[in-house]
Amino acid sequence: MEKIIVKSGAKLQGTIRAHGSKNSVLPLISASILASRNQVAISNVPTGLEDVATITQLLQALGIRVAVKDDVVTIQAEKFDSTEAPYELVCKMRASVTVLGPLLARKKYARVPLPGGCAIGSRPIDQHLKGLEALGAEFTIGHGYVEGFVPDQLRGNNVYLDIPSVGATQNILMAATLAKGVTNIVNAACEPEIQDLAHFLNQMGARIEGAGTPFITIEGVDFLRGTEYAVIPDRIEVGTYMIAAAITKGDVFIEHAKSKHLTSLIVKMREMGVTVLECENGIHVSGTEELKPVDIKTLPYPGFPTDLQSPMMVLQLAANGTSMATETVFEDRFMHVEEFRRMGANIKINGQTAMIEGGHSLSGTQVMATDLRAGAALVLAGLIADGVTEVSELRHIDRGYIDLVGQLKSLGAKIDRSNKETNPFFQKESLPQ
Ligand code: UD1
């Protein structure tokens, strides 16, 4: 079984470069289905990620031509026949459901497997369907699939989201670009990935205003055409490396990072005593000897991102004193706590809140990635735990981090990815006493 093996002791130092945003590029690729004229070329794509491979395979399964070269994905969707998303791809990745809105807008029909639950709790799509129904789509659900069709044509309408769901906002936004008339989405998600999608769609000829606020207005157009577009940097990847720098008391510059997308993390890190410099072309993080405890509560953007809750817990564990982490976005996103406890962490959970007793050393052991971000968090914990930490179930990490090991290694971390047989840290004499 492949593992990431980490030893503590290194203060991370140097410069790394942020990749394009995974969570942004997935809906951008889905949105390319809307281009009935010319081809789309998306650059700065993290093409090495499993999730990017999954969404490109999904478009190919629909009969759309997709080419990947270096960090550019080219999509030719002028003509395609299929309107059914294969189960094998949708079950791998929930974001596959973002093909629903574009397929209904382009083909007036779509059959998509229900994405189901996942390791961070049940994740319904009721808000997606409610919004698309308001635009005139009709749905039947059965045998694990949602089947949607548009009897007449999509028509603009007012859509109020009960919760500011990122995926629902994206699906409704995409469908509304080709609806007749004006759509208003109220209580829309405000995440930078929504703004990126709106910029992309507007470049394709859509008329969208207000993206990045809870009120988005979309005036439908007759067709969209291909364009060239560069994806924004990945704020969650950047946040993970910022935390890695801080827990090791290191000094790291992350090129191309956009600090305005990470305000909540930056403020919390500064409260803990970490120096964070917001530069024009990136973010500079310098650790401190004495980390102060801090409380966080995950919220929709611009609140603290749920995707950074587990990496942040490592920083809270490294602080001197008790910190709280309250998870309000997902119902069951503390799976990593059990793994941290195996490393000696003192964390108590009461409902949605974890109480983290920081300041005690962690001890390296074998742990398992339970989801994508939790996997990265365990690797970070290994950077400060006594002895050797082995993280398994790397398929989770590979969904969302390009060469996590290589990036950390380039900053001086003692880290490797290997099989047990080839792992140098496993040689008895090299294990710490
Ligand atoms: C996106 C991100 C994910 C991030 C999450 C929240 C992508 C590919 N993924 O996921 O990394 O953790 O935003 O920032 O961009 N909900 C409903 N009904 C719905 C839709 C959502 O009840 O119809 C609930 C979910 O169960 C969850 C909450 O709303 O509890 C937030 O989900 P949502 O914002 O939709 O997240 P995703 O778009 O799935």
Side-chain angles (χ1 to χ4, degrees):
M1 191 200 309
E2 257 203 311
K3 288 179 177 177
I4 290 177
I5 299 112
V6 203
K7 269 172 101 175
S8 60
K11 289 188 176 196
L12 300 190
Q13 305 241 327
T15 298
I16 47 171
R17 193 185 160 125
H19 292 99
S21 162
K22 169 184 91 73
N23 284 356
S24 219
V25 80
L26 301 176
L28 293 195
I29 292 176
S30 294
S32 305
I33 294 174
L34 294 164
S36 53
R37 299 186 190 176
N38 308 340
Q39 67 173 25
V40 168
I42 308 173
S43 58
N44 197 31
V45 178
T47 46
L49 297 181
E50 277 299 315
D51 277 10
V52 173
T54 302
I55 196 82
T56 54
Q57 284 162 18
L58 206 167
L59 261 65
Q60 284 166 336
L62 296 171
I64 294 169
R65 278 191 285 149
V66 184
V68 179
K69 189 166 186 287
D70 302 324
D71 72 344
V72 179
V73 175
T74 313
I75 299 150
Q76 172 55 267
E78 280 177 292
K79 289 198 182 80
F80 65 95
D81 294 325
S82 179
T83 46
E84 177 160 340
Y87 173 73
E88 304 73 54
L89 297 174
V90 177
C91 72
K92 277 200 209 171
M93 182 184 76
R94 183 184 157 82
S96 310
V97 83
T98 52
V99 299
L100 186 59
L103 282 176
L104 288 171
R106 260 307 285 281
K107 297 286 189 182
K108 295 190 174 188
Y109 178 82
R111 188 165 184 264
V112 177
L114 289 167
C118 69
I120 57 178
S122 107
R123 295 172 79 174
I125 57 165
D126 57 309
Q127 300 300 309
H128 300 235
L129 302 186
K130 174 181 140 173
L132 294 169
E133 271 169 355
L135 302 185
E138 292 180 8
F139 294 100
T140 50
I141 293 179
H143 302 283
Y145 279 76
V146 54
E147 200 169 354
F149 75 103
V150 182
D152 175 18
Q153 69 174 127
L154 291 178
R155 289 181 194 278
N157 201 347
N158 294 331
V159 177
Y160 172 77
L161 293 179
D162 297 331
I163 36 171
S165 154
V166 175
T169 304
Q170 289 163 339
N171 248 330
I172 299 158
L173 178 60
M174 291 188 278
T177 58
L178 295 183
K180 199 170 172 56
V182 175
T183 299
N184 293 299
I185 310 177
V186 179
N187 199 25
C190 303
E191 269 69 1
E193 294 77 21
I194 302 285
Q195 298 176 46
D196 207 31
L197 176 61
H199 287 149
F200 175 67
L201 289 166
N202 280 343
Q203 244 182 252
M204 291 166 76
R207 294 194 191 132
I208 302 165
E209 280 179 16
T213 79
F215 305 95
I216 305 182
T217 302
I218 308 117
E219 193 187 328
V221 296
D222 292 337
F223 67 90
L224 296 180
R225 59 183 173 277
T227 189
E228 289 179 10
Y229 193 81
V231 186
I232 55 169
D234 194 316
R235 64 192 168 103
I236 306 300
E237 181 200 39
V238 170
T240 306
Y241 291 123
M242 288 170 66
I243 293 168
I247 52 170
T248 61
K249 306 178 174 58
D251 190 72
V252 172
F253 182 63
I254 306 159
E255 250 182 332
H256 284 206
K258 266 199 165 54
S259 59
K260 71 170 183 182
H261 293 168
L262 280 155
T263 307
S264 56
L265 175 67
I266 291 171
V267 167
K268 287 291 162 187
M269 287 178 75
R270 284 181 180 151
E271 279 178 32
M272 297 178 89
V274 179
T275 304
V276 183
L277 298 180
E278 300 173 55
C279 311
E280 212 171 282
N281 62 337
I283 300 178
H284 192 140
V285 179
S286 312
T288 171
E289 288 302 318
E290 187 75 10
L291 276 169
K292 292 185 220 120
V294 81
D295 296 343
I296 61 148
K297 186 182 209 175
T298 68
L299 287 166
Y301 188 85
F304 195 92
T306 173
D307 288 349
L308 286 175
Q309 181 249 108
S310 54
M312 186 66 178
M313 201 173 272
V314 185
L315 195 56
Q316 291 172 309
L317 282 167
N320 277 317
T322 307
S323 300
M324 305 280 198
T326 303
E327 173 61 54
T328 75
V329 178
F330 288 106
E331 62 181 20
D332 190 15
R333 207 170 189 178
F334 284 134
M335 300 277 281
H336 46 282
V337 167
E338 271 312 318
E339 300 301 298
F340 285 151
R341 283 184 184 139
R342 296 199 64 253
M343 299 178 77
N346 185 353
I347 303 171
K348 290 192 184 72
I349 296 179
N350 186 0
Q352 289 180 295
T353 299
M355 194 174 82
I356 302 131
E357 284 293 340
H360 309 287
S361 56
L362 298 175
S363 56
T365 185
Q366 297 97 330
V367 285
M368 210 191 287
T370 50
D371 75 52
L372 162 54
R373 306 302 168 187
L378 289 168
V379 173
L380 297 193
L383 292 172
I384 53 165
D386 291 338
V388 179
T389 301
E390 300 168 37
V391 183
S392 59
E393 294 297 328
L394 303 187
R395 65 197 161 90
H396 292 296
I397 297 176
D398 293 340
R399 286 187 46 209
Y401 290 91
I402 292 190
D403 196 15
L404 181 67
V405 168
Q407 295 273 73
L408 291 172
K409 212 180 212 177
S410 76
L411 298 173
K414 296 173 192 166
I415 187 165
D416 247 311
R417 180 172 175 140
S418 61
N419 295 315
K420 216 167 185 173
E421 298 71 45
T422 59
N423 167 23
F425 298 152
F426 269 96
Q427 310 309 316
K428 251 206 160 118
E429 55 277 19
S430 70
L431 280 173
Q433 299 305 304

